[in-house]
Amino acid sequence: MDTGLGYARTDKLVILQITHQGRNREQKEKMYATMCKRLEEIGIPPTDLIISLSENTKEDWSFGPGRAQFLTGEL
């Protein structure tokens, strides 16, 4: 996968999509570095890790049957 950064990728490419609420820049950068370090320990090259964060709120979740459980107090 070419992201335009010139990284050589291998067949070990890992893409993570993480949904989160309320983490600041420092927390995000620490998580990126930690994930990279831990995956490198099991043989995933640092250039084979792509992480994408999506931010949302409690009102963006419904776990069925048509209710927002975080808002209704069920969760």
Side-chain angles (χ1 to χ4, degrees):
M1 168 176 237
D2 182 15
T3 55
L5 296 172
Y7 298 141
R9 309 279 186 193
T10 72
D11 61 353
K12 295 180 180 182
L13 179 65
V14 174
I15 300 174
L16 297 177
Q17 171 65 47
I18 301 170
T19 304
H20 73 100
Q21 294 179 6
R23 286 168 180 81
N24 63 35
R25 179 180 175 165
E26 182 180 320
Q27 291 169 317
K28 292 173 189 177
E29 289 179 342
K30 184 176 180 180
M31 186 271 304
Y32 298 147
T34 300
M35 292 295 294
C36 184
K37 180 181 176 191
R38 294 219 174 136
L39 288 172
E40 190 172 18
E41 290 171 357
I42 62 168
I44 306 296
T47 53
D48 277 350
L49 175 60
I50 297 172
I51 301 173
S52 172
L53 296 180
S54 295
E55 201 159 346
N56 68 15
T57 64
K58 291 181 178 186
E59 65 192 38
D60 296 320
W61 289 91
S62 173
F63 295 94
R67 293 190 303 272
Q69 287 85 351
F70 283 135
L71 300 179
T72 63
E74 296 170 77
L75 287 175

